[in-house]
Structures are given as C-alpha cells and as structure tokens.
Amino acid sequence: MKIWKLVTFGLTIATLLAACGKQPTDEEHTVSDAPIIENNSYEKCTLTFSWWGGDSRNAATLKAIEAFEEKYPGIEVETNYGAWINWENTVAEMFVTNTTPDVCQVNWNWLYSYSADGSVFLDLNRVSDVLDLSQFSDDVLDQCVVGEKLQAIPVSVTGRIFYWNQTTFERAGIEVPKTFRELLYAGEAFKTKLGDEYYPLVLGEYDRMILMVYCLESMYGKAWVENGELQYTMEEIQMGLEFIQLLEQEHVIPPLEILLDDGADSIDENNKWRNGTYAGVFEWDSSVTKYNSSLEPGQKIVVGNFFEDMGEYHGGYSKVSLGFAISENCEYPKEAAMLINFLLNEEEGITLMGSERGIPLSAAALEICQEKNLLDEIVAEANVKVLEWVSFPLDPKFESVSLRENIYHDVMQGLGSGKYSTKEAAHILIDGVNAELGK
C-alpha cells in the first residue's frame, strides 16, 4: 500500500508516523404567481408538521408548537418526528406519493433529489406577506432556489468539525489534539494508558467519507465535485482511502466491526461514547447538543480545531443544514407560513427554539438569541470556527440516499474488512458517484 503518497503538498506519512512514537443558480427570487394570501385573518385548520432531531430539539419544538396554537386559536398542529437515522426513507415515500406534510423540515439536498422540477414544495415567495423573507440574506435564500422556486426557508448553515471529550483525554494524560500529528499520537496514548477498547475518535461509514473528503480537499485544494464533475482521480482517491486505513492502523478510530458489535443505531446512543471510551466525533456543528446531552455525568465536550498540518488548503465545506418547506398540496399555505414564521422570526418562537437547529440565519432570531443569551455556547463556538475555516462548495448529490446508504457504506465496510483493496474501493466509489451525477 503506497501510504507515502498521502502526504502530497507538504504532509508526509513518514513525518506523521514519526510523530506517533451562491449555489446552483443566480436567479432572483421571482414570484412565480401572485401572492395567494393576505395577512389580515386566518382559517381554523389542522396542519401536519414533520421533522427529525434529538430529544432536546423535539422537546423545544413541541413547546413552540403549543405556544403557536395558544397564540392562534383554531389552528391545530399534528406532529410526526423522529431521529435522523432512516428519517429520509420515512419522508421520501411521502414526497413521491403526494402525501408530503403541510410543513416539513427538509435537508438541503432533498430539494434536488425530490423536487428538482419544483413539484413537491410551494414557492415561498407566494406567502411572503406572512413569512418574512427580509430577515434572511439573498445569498442563503438563493441556496434554496431550485426549479426557479424558493422551495425552503434556510434555518442555519453548518459544517463538520471535531468535538472532543476532554475528560477522557485528561485520563490519558494528553491534551485534545490541535494537529493531525497529535491525533495520531493520541491513538497510541489511548491504547497504552487506557486500554485497547479506548479510541480518541469514532467514525461511522458516512463520517469516514466526509473526513476523507476533508483530507483530500486540504491536500489538493479542489472541491470533491464541481459543476457536476468529480474532481479527483483514481490515485488521489486511493490516497484518501489509505488515510482512513491509517487511522485504524494507528488506533485512532475503532474498526467498523467493533461499532457493529456495540449495537447502537447512532454514535450518540453508543454506550462507549456515553461513558467516554470513544472520545471524539467529527460532526455537524449544529448536532453537538445530542452528543453532549447523552454523556454520562462528569464529562466535558470541547470544540476542536481544524488541522493546519493536513495540507496547504482549508478543507471541508459548509451547507444549509436544514430548512422548512411547505407542501405544494397544502390546503392552508397561509397558516403553514404563519407556523414557520412563528418558529423563525417571532420572539416567542425564537425564544423557545434557541439554537436547537443551529445558529439562526434569521436576523431577528439571531439578535434575540444573542440578547437573551439563548445560543448554546458550544454550537456557537463551533459554527464560528466552521464558517471561518471551510472554503469549498458541497455538491447537492453528495448526501443522496443511494450514495450514503449504498456506495459509501459498501466502500468503507469493504475496505475495513479487507474485502476491497484501496484500488477496488476507489473504483466502486468513482463509479457510484459518476452514476449519481449522471455520467
């Protein structure tokens, strides 16, 4: 295995091992039809509302809905929510069968995957006299313009960053890693000082894919996909896969077979994360709340740094973390817009929601959250670090179900088990990405 190739652009494996001892359119937000509402009354109705999230997000959202129903008597909200795991599969069937909930929390790429022609979600310009779009910058609104329609209101922008369980690192007698070199050293320190079952970082299949892309972007200074074209060669992707293998070899991350034996559906639910046996994650800045709240008492999470010694460039990307959309078939679009506006732009809803969906993009929400000290300190710190560091665009196809659940899973599982060589895994990955891109 040509591990030494990993160090192109100033990062050499020899050095590392020694250290061990605007989005798709520029269109204006045009109003496709005349506004369909007037903001002088509302109808009694029942709205359906779906979202995914952890326990704290779910609790906050339910309280906000209760407050909305009290403020607007006669509007009832029926809810459907759950954890992120398999949630897209839950709602995807609704999208394709015209049974989309009236208000739907959406992942950014869903607009491209399920409503590229604008058929699933309402153009929110049509309810702009109830939903205050002026609170959001044109730049972030543009990212949700698909099929010439503003199909969602972006709630926050997010990116992946390291979070460390400082308590476990202290037990190992070392500080949380500030460089990649220190991360490699931590693998050996955890093994010798705490035991074979302890790891400084834990990554599932999709996490490995995202971290690999971060590494490659740091080394080569180019996006993973740009203008619908994969930007990396077979040899370069092999280097990225060798990087993942290196993390396992140096006891930085547990093999996937160990994660499978742990029996948890997600890392935040894994007992080894909860008790500090696994001491780090590479996660969305907006998702730390569920990881923090699941820890056993006496442990402390801190926000990590991006690794400057990974390469010459600032790898990683940011994206609209999620948005709120209204179904094209919603019978009460005005009332649905009122609900979204309450959650994002009105003081009572803002106060109850805080930063449960990340640092708010709504200017009104951000101001209120800052004045009332409602922002989760860790989320806020991480979001600042992400937005100051990352420099690459995210292709909307990157997070597709077919890639995430089939290709990425197969490649990382096969690589970890020895079923695939790095060359074979790279070939499968390239073919899968190109198929998703229509190449």
Side-chain angles (χ1 to χ4, degrees):
M1 183 172 64
K2 300 177 181 178
I3 296 180
W4 60 271
K5 291 183 178 180
L6 176 63
V7 295
T8 304
F9 295 113
L11 183 64
T12 67
I13 253 343
T15 301
L16 296 174
L17 292 177
C20 288
K22 232 173 180 181
Q23 207 15 62
T25 178
D26 292 325
E27 297 164 57
E28 296 293 326
H29 305 136
T30 56
V31 179
S32 57
D33 295 295
I36 59 178
I37 61 172
E38 293 182 0
N39 192 19
N40 55 9
S41 64
Y42 65 88
E43 293 189 45
K44 294 182 178 180
C45 63
T46 298
L47 299 173
T48 54
F49 180 20
S50 75
W51 73 88
W52 74 88
D55 291 343
S56 60
R57 178 185 293 177
N58 297 339
T61 307
L62 290 171
K63 289 181 180 178
I65 290 171
E66 182 179 352
F68 172 80
E69 291 175 329
E70 290 178 359
K71 183 173 183 178
Y72 300 104
I75 303 180
E76 296 183 1
V77 181
E78 294 182 353
T79 63
N80 180 26
Y81 57 91
W84 168 249
I85 299 296
N86 296 320
W87 188 252
E88 183 171 352
N89 293 329
T90 299
V91 295
E93 184 176 351
M94 301 177 186
F95 297 155
V96 299
T97 58
N98 294 322
T99 56
T100 303
D102 295 318
V103 178
C104 186
Q105 179 178 296
V106 295
N107 208 25
W108 175 64
N109 71 298
W110 294 358
L111 306 180
Y112 297 85
S113 298
Y114 304 106
S115 190
D117 62 353
S119 62
V120 175
F121 303 115
L122 184 77
D123 185 351
L124 296 182
N125 286 296
R126 300 183 64 197
V127 290
S128 61
D129 46 356
V130 171
L131 178 54
D132 186 2
L133 302 180
S134 69
Q135 298 298 329
F136 302 83
S137 71
D138 286 344
D139 179 60
V140 295
L141 291 177
D142 281 344
Q143 295 183 53
C144 293
V145 175
V146 180
E148 301 184 4
K149 295 172 63 175
L150 178 60
Q151 296 196 47
I153 192 77
V155 177
S156 59
V157 172
T158 189
R160 289 264 179 154
I161 194 169
F162 295 103
Y163 291 105
W164 307 112
N165 185 328
Q166 182 173 287
T167 308
T168 304
F169 278 88
E170 290 175 348
R171 288 182 57 200
I174 58 176
E175 296 182 353
V176 299
K178 297 180 178 63
T179 65
F180 184 61
R181 190 175 290 109
E182 290 177 357
L183 176 61
L184 289 178
Y185 174 78
E188 180 63 24
F190 269 53
K191 182 178 180 180
T192 57
K193 297 180 181 180
L194 299 178
D196 285 345
E197 72 273 22
Y198 282 82
Y199 292 87
L201 183 64
V202 58
L203 302 171
E205 294 91 347
Y206 186 43
D207 307 319
R208 292 172 183 228
M209 182 65 195
I210 295 176
L211 186 58
M212 185 192 80
V213 170
Y214 161 53
C215 174
L216 289 174
E217 289 176 342
S218 298
M219 291 163 56
Y220 292 103
K222 55 186 179 181
W224 176 247
V225 169
E226 196 163 25
N227 299 321
E229 298 279 351
L230 179 63
Q231 300 297 299
Y232 285 83
T233 66
M234 172 76 74
E235 184 179 49
E236 291 167 345
I237 292 173
Q238 280 186 256
M239 293 180 200
L241 294 170
E242 288 169 359
F243 161 75
I244 296 298
Q245 287 184 320
L246 176 68
L247 295 180
E248 278 200 16
Q249 292 165 1
E250 298 303 315
H251 201 80
V252 173
I253 59 175
L256 290 171
E257 62 182 348
I258 292 181
L259 287 184
L260 184 62
D261 290 341
D262 290 343
D265 290 333
S266 60
I267 293 173
D268 62 291
E269 296 176 349
N270 192 311
N271 285 332
K272 291 181 180 178
W273 165 259
R274 290 173 169 171
N275 65 25
T277 303
Y278 299 151
V281 291
F282 188 61
E283 252 301 340
W284 304 113
D285 60 57
S286 56
S287 296
V288 67
T289 304
K290 65 181 181 181
Y291 288 91
N292 205 5
S293 62
S294 69
L295 286 176
E296 293 177 359
Q299 301 183 71
K300 180 181 179 180
I301 278 185
V302 296
V303 182
N305 295 328
F306 291 97
F307 297 147
E308 293 188 5
D309 62 341
M310 189 77 79
E312 296 181 3
Y313 305 94
H314 286 197
Y317 51 77
S318 62
K319 65 161 191 167
V320 171
S321 60
L322 55 85
F324 286 134
I326 298 175
S327 170
E328 181 67 55
N329 297 324
C330 177
E331 293 184 36
Y332 301 97
K334 173 182 179 177
E335 289 70 23
M338 289 168 59
L339 173 58
I340 295 175
N341 197 70
F342 180 83
L343 297 175
L344 300 186
N345 295 327
E346 296 182 26
E347 183 169 0
E348 189 173 6
I350 292 166
T351 301
L352 291 168
M353 293 307 308
S355 56
E356 283 296 335
R357 288 177 169 82
I359 305 303
L361 289 173
S362 163
L366 182 60
E367 181 179 357
I368 289 171
C369 285
Q370 290 172 333
E371 287 177 353
K372 296 189 175 185
N373 198 28
L374 298 175
L375 299 179
D376 184 288
E377 291 183 4
I378 297 179
V379 174
E381 179 186 353
N383 189 252
V384 169
K385 285 187 174 183
V386 166
L387 298 183
E388 287 181 347
W389 178 269
V390 300
S391 56
F392 294 97
L394 174 66
D395 179 73
K397 300 286 188 178
F398 186 87
E399 298 183 300
S400 71
V401 172
S402 59
L403 283 178
R404 208 174 59 238
E405 296 187 0
N406 298 323
I407 302 302
Y408 302 158
H409 185 278
D410 181 39
V411 165
M412 294 304 174
Q413 284 281 355
L415 186 69
S417 68
K419 178 181 177 181
Y420 300 139
S421 66
T422 56
K423 184 175 182 179
E424 290 169 330
H427 183 75
I428 294 169
L429 183 55
I430 289 170
D431 285 350
V433 172
N434 283 335
E436 187 69 23
L437 295 173
K439 304 300 179 183

